[in-house]
Amino acid sequence: MNLKDLNIDNTWTLFLDRDGVINQRIIDGYVTRWEEFVFGPGVLEALNILSNLFGRLIIVTNQQGIGKGLMTDNDLFVIHYRLIEEVNKAGGRIDKIYYSPFLDEQKNPMRKPDIGMALLAEKDFPEITFSKSIMVGDSLSDMAFGKNVDMYTVFISDEELKEGFKKQIDYFSFHLLDFARKLH
Ligand SMILES: [Mg+2]
């Protein structure tokens, strides 16, 4: 099925992973300061388009750099404050950012692929319907997170995936702007 056939309107919610979708991922590291945060090419334009299509835009991000003591909640708050400010300046919006500070081995329900952050968003925004939601991410844990609550999933990658992984992925896009243009 084509992404356009979903007929996205303001009753839909867009869930977005952060690192590798909104900003450039730091391989084997964490964005701990605003100075290290670099928007991906075309992301601000994409968020502008997507803000006009979706009723809600929500970021769900695992940030175990906090659990590892490499940064504080306040460091992350500053980064996210600036992130939203830049998105607004470019004409887009982010309604809320949920993050999980927990380590992988803590198996906390708030950490993707577990669904805690999705349930929290549904509680904060009762109009959210998961069957009318899309999760966009660049990792398989994002895809599992989306599928665990029956969202549509979009995998952002410029690489080919092994066949076995594809069942959790409904659509592929090269980057966020590519995805936005496919809906437009
Ligand atoms: Mg990611």
Side-chain angles (χ1 to χ4, degrees):
M1 195 167 75
N2 201 293
L3 266 168
K4 261 193 176 151
D5 297 333
L6 295 177
N7 294 317
I8 304 297
D9 61 21
N10 64 8
T11 63
W12 282 69
T13 301
L14 182 61
F15 285 87
L16 295 156
D17 172 44
R18 199 197 79 181
D19 299 318
V21 174
I22 305 283
N23 58 287
Q24 294 178 357
R25 210 156 62 91
I26 298 181
I27 309 292
D28 298 326
Y30 302 93
V31 175
T32 60
R33 300 177 292 130
W34 176 248
E35 290 68 28
E36 297 167 340
F37 186 96
V38 180
F39 281 103
V43 162
L44 290 173
E45 186 189 344
L47 288 173
N48 194 337
I49 296 169
L50 295 166
S51 298
N52 286 318
L53 287 171
F54 286 85
R56 295 283 176 210
L57 285 87
I58 287 167
I59 294 177
V60 281
T61 178
N62 286 348
Q63 293 296 331
Q64 65 169 342
I66 294 175
K68 289 181 178 177
L70 300 172
M71 61 196 293
T72 64
D73 291 90
N74 193 57
D75 293 333
L76 192 67
F77 175 82
V78 171
I79 293 166
H80 287 169
Y81 185 88
R82 299 289 295 270
L83 188 174
I84 288 176
E85 201 173 51
E86 292 302 315
V87 171
N88 290 345
K89 259 192 238 169
R93 66 170 211 284
I94 297 291
D95 293 295
K96 185 111 180 180
I97 302 178
Y98 297 96
Y99 70 93
S100 170
F102 303 102
L103 298 172
D104 192 24
E105 56 266 32
Q106 288 177 285
K107 301 285 170 230
N108 191 287
M110 284 296 159
R111 184 174 163 80
K112 294 179 289 184
D114 217 326
I115 60 171
M117 290 193 283
L119 298 180
L120 203 52
E122 188 187 38
K123 194 169 158 230
D124 289 342
F125 302 97
E127 69 275 22
I128 288 178
T129 310
F130 292 137
S131 60
K132 290 173 93 176
S133 297
I134 300 180
M135 175 67 203
V136 178
D138 70 332
S139 76
L140 293 170
S141 93
D142 297 320
M143 301 298 97
F145 168 84
K147 282 296 158 201
N148 282 339
V149 287
D150 267 333
M151 297 182 200
Y152 291 95
T153 55
V154 176
F155 192 67
I156 297 277
S157 177
D158 45 17
E159 290 164 35
E160 270 295 305
L161 256 196
K162 290 194 193 85
E163 206 52 48
F165 294 131
K166 290 186 178 169
K167 58 182 182 300
Q168 290 190 312
I169 301 171
D170 295 314
Y171 303 97
F172 283 91
S173 287
F174 294 117
H175 45 69
L176 197 62
L177 187 55
D178 177 34
F179 165 68
R181 283 178 175 154
K182 281 176 182 158
L183 290 173
H184 201 32

